[in-house]
Amino acid sequence: SEAAKKIPFILVVNLQVPAKPNYNLVMYYAAEKPVNKDSLLGRFIDGTDAFRDARFKLIPSIVEGYWMVKRAVGTRACLLGKAVTCNYLRQDNFLEIDVDIGSSSVARSIIGLVLGYVTSIVVDLAILVEAKEEKELPEYILGTVRLNRVNPEAAVPI
């Protein structure tokens, strides 16, 4: 949209959830100022897919829920590009990351368990770019989302 073109940078994260029917959880994060091209984020945005795969990290946390779900999901950071297939679309002032959760049998199993309890759990997700060198520290959280007792029946078909 014309309004989106006025935003210095937009990060779009599309979590493609395998289910019947399939779901997409799409998160939009907008920067208030231009991204420094020399920063870790700037290098991630304009980097190769291999660089992005080695750096794109998600940290999950089941805030409220059954212990079995908490144990399966855990709270350890996951390099998504190493665990599942990620596709990147870079244009103008945005980067879209499509995360195919169904591309990993382990991730598919975990998400299957979570979906069984999704209406009664609260999940926090944080996304960030992993620092690999001291000069890249500290790592900064790029965005977060809280999924509070999500009702898949309310999903809008597209």
Side-chain angles (χ1 to χ4, degrees), residues 41-112:
L41 178 57
R43 293 188 346 235
F44 178 81
I45 291 167
D46 292 323
T48 65
D49 289 356
F51 181 85
R52 293 173 181 147
D53 281 345
R55 303 292 188 112
F56 184 52
K57 192 186 316 189
L58 178 127
I59 303 173
S61 176
I62 305 293
V63 179
E64 293 179 29
Y66 299 100
W67 70 268
M68 180 175 52
V69 177
K70 286 183 177 184
R71 186 164 183 214
V73 172
T75 56
R76 296 180 65 179
C78 173
L79 284 171
L80 285 180
K82 298 292 184 189
V84 297
T85 301
C86 293
N87 293 301
Y88 305 91
L89 175 63
R90 171 74 169 108
Q91 289 188 350
D92 301 328
N93 68 333
F94 75 89
L95 172 65
E96 178 177 335
I97 306 172
D98 298 322
V99 181
D100 182 3
I101 296 171
S103 65
S104 160
S105 60
V106 173
R108 211 171 32 250
S109 296
I110 292 171
I111 204 71

